[in-house]
Amino acid sequence: MWMQSKQAWSQLADRERTLLMLLGVFLLVSLLYLVIWSPIHSAHDNAKQSEQRAEQNWQWLNEQVLKNPMVSGSQKTLRFSTQSELMSSLQSSLRNENLLSSMQAMTPASKSIKVEFKAVDAPRFFAWLSILEQQGLVSSQLQVNAVETGVIEVSVRFGVAE
């Protein structure tokens, strides 16, 4: 095979050999462009576009933080020094919002109180949570699972000040 190729090459005129070498160089450059340069260049362009979108989102988020003073972190937070104070406050707020009967358990843990609901009306629960947050009591952990439409299973933890 190699001998046949070498014989065919030697039978070509100098002009044809030059043209075939130029064709080989052109094909090699084209292959390198298509396989290496073009994918790298398009990935670079995509990365730049993603960076610009991320910067725009970041600027928008910063503007929203400045527009909304509630989110700025200057809110007062309710601090309870003992678990019993926190537990009595939670029980009274549950009683006021008629959620005490829906509560499954209120478990004291290390410097926190865990309140669990097996099946509670979602709008009523989130209204209660909103009221607590407006008063300054913010949950440290919240886990929500949908049971059915409008009914959720919830586990929420409130902490005691250290």
Side-chain angles (χ1 to χ4, degrees):
M1 173 85 175
W2 178 251
M3 291 300 280
Q4 291 174 348
S5 298
K6 194 172 185 180
Q7 184 181 13
W9 180 261
S10 65
Q11 290 177 356
L12 292 174
D14 286 340
R15 180 175 178 231
E16 292 171 337
R17 283 187 209 157
T18 305
L19 287 174
L20 282 176
M21 283 195 275
L22 288 174
L23 177 64
V25 168
F26 173 76
L27 290 176
L28 180 65
V29 169
S30 298
L31 183 66
L32 289 175
Y33 174 78
L34 291 173
V35 172
I36 297 173
W37 176 255
S38 180
I40 290 173
H41 187 66
S42 64
H44 180 265
D45 288 344
N46 289 341
K48 274 191 166 188
Q49 290 174 356
S50 295
E51 179 187 20
Q52 288 173 350
R53 280 193 303 267
E55 285 179 4
Q56 289 172 351
N57 288 341
W58 180 254
Q59 289 173 354
W60 180 83
L61 283 172
N62 283 333
E63 290 170 3
Q64 297 309 309
V65 167
L66 294 175
K67 287 179 184 177
N68 189 353
M70 295 293 286
V71 180
S72 67
S74 61
Q75 293 177 311
K76 293 181 184 176
T77 57
L78 276 179
R79 297 265 181 193
F80 295 98
S81 56
T82 64
Q83 286 180 336
S84 61
E85 290 177 358
L86 177 59
M87 187 176 286
S88 65
S89 175
L90 289 173
Q91 285 175 342
S92 66
S93 66
L94 285 167
R95 196 174 300 111
N96 290 342
E97 297 302 314
N98 295 325
L99 287 174
L100 196 57
S101 60
S102 301
M103 181 185 70
Q104 180 189 7
M106 184 179 288
T107 313
S110 174
K111 300 201 181 235
S112 66
I113 302 286
K114 183 177 182 181
V115 182
E116 296 176 278
F117 298 89
K118 271 293 186 205
V120 64
D121 185 50
R124 286 179 54 204
F125 172 79
F126 287 115
W128 172 69
L129 199 59
S130 175
I131 289 169
L132 290 177
E133 286 181 358
Q134 288 171 1
Q135 293 173 354
L137 182 60
V138 180
S139 64
S140 59
Q141 182 182 13
L142 175 67
Q143 183 177 0
V144 179
N145 296 318
V147 175
E148 59 186 57
T149 303
V151 178
I152 54 176
E153 177 182 353
V154 181
S155 171
V156 61
R157 185 177 303 271
F158 298 95
V160 176
E162 297 184 41

